[in-house]
Amino acid sequence: IAERPAGAAGAPAGKDVFEQHCSACHTLSGGDNPLEPKVAKWDRKKIRETLDRLETLKGGVMPPLDAPPAEKDALADFLVSTQQGGAK
């Protein structure tokens, strides 16, 4: 997986990926299942690698992320940008 600068240009598209694939169960920072605290100390590489194996987390409760690599890249960019105070 290629390393990209944190918050690279894919962040706006990543917000759409988050809304399509994640928002049914997760919020970013509020509610019962916020995602930001879970990835707060993760760098982009760890976030991106984890997106390829979500189904192995938490005893298999997470479904796999059924998205092409470019969408996973954009989602990783978006999540990193939120750590840096980017668009939410």
Side-chain angles (χ1 to χ4, degrees):
I1 296 170
E3 185 67 29
R4 293 206 277 186
K15 182 175 183 179
D16 292 337
V17 176
F18 176 84
E19 290 173 2
Q20 179 180 5
H21 292 280
C22 311
S23 65
C25 298
H26 292 283
T27 61
L28 284 174
S29 59
D32 293 332
N33 200 7
L35 201 50
E36 281 180 339
K38 293 172 174 55
V39 300
K41 296 184 184 213
W42 294 9
D43 62 15
R44 185 197 181 279
K45 182 179 180 192
K46 182 171 182 172
I47 292 170
R48 179 59 183 86
E49 289 174 350
T50 302
L51 294 175
D52 281 331
R53 57 179 186 77
L54 290 177
E55 66 278 7
T56 68
L57 302 178
K58 301 193 82 146
V61 225
M62 287 284 303
L65 177 56
D66 185 23
E71 288 185 8
K72 291 177 182 180
D73 288 341
L75 180 55
D77 291 343
F78 172 66
L79 292 173
V80 168
S81 79
T82 64
Q83 293 170 342
Q84 301 166 344
K88 293 186 179 184

